[in-house]
């Protein structure tokens, strides 16, 4: 695999992990296990930043 190919693969993996983490947090909020404030705090973000990231990832909210 070329260096560029390896870098693209690693970036894709990181993006997938990030999306999965936010999806999990959103599901915990939707199930009432966490508040949105608690989920945002776990991601070290403000509530507004957390909501924006969810929208960017097209996960809902």
């Amino acid at each position: 695999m070329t260096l560029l190919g390896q870098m693209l693969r690693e970036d894709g993996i990181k993006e997938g992990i990030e999306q999965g983490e936010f999806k999990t947090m959103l599901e915990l909020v939707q199930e009432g296990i966490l508040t949105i404030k608690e989920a945002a705090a776990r991601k070290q973000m403000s509530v507004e930043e957390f909501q924006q990231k969810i929208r960017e990832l097209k996960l809902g909210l």
Side-chain angles (χ1 to χ4, degrees):
M1 182 179 295
T2 66
L3 180 58
L4 178 59
Q6 181 67 27
M7 290 171 53
L8 290 171
R9 182 175 183 268
E10 289 172 6
D11 285 348
I13 290 170
K14 287 178 188 176
E15 288 178 25
I17 290 170
E18 179 184 45
Q19 187 171 3
E21 289 174 351
F22 277 93
K23 183 178 180 189
T24 299
M25 288 292 139
L26 181 59
E27 288 172 353
L28 292 173
V29 170
Q30 291 172 334
E31 292 173 11
I33 296 169
L34 292 177
T35 65
I36 194 158
K37 187 175 179 180
E38 292 169 331
R42 287 187 182 201
K43 296 302 291 175
Q44 300 177 342
M45 304 174 114
S46 69
V47 171
E48 294 79 20
E49 290 171 325
F50 182 81
Q51 291 173 322
Q52 179 62 34
K53 190 65 174 180
I54 293 296
R55 284 191 293 272
E56 286 173 15
L57 295 172
K58 296 177 175 62
L59 296 175
L61 195 70

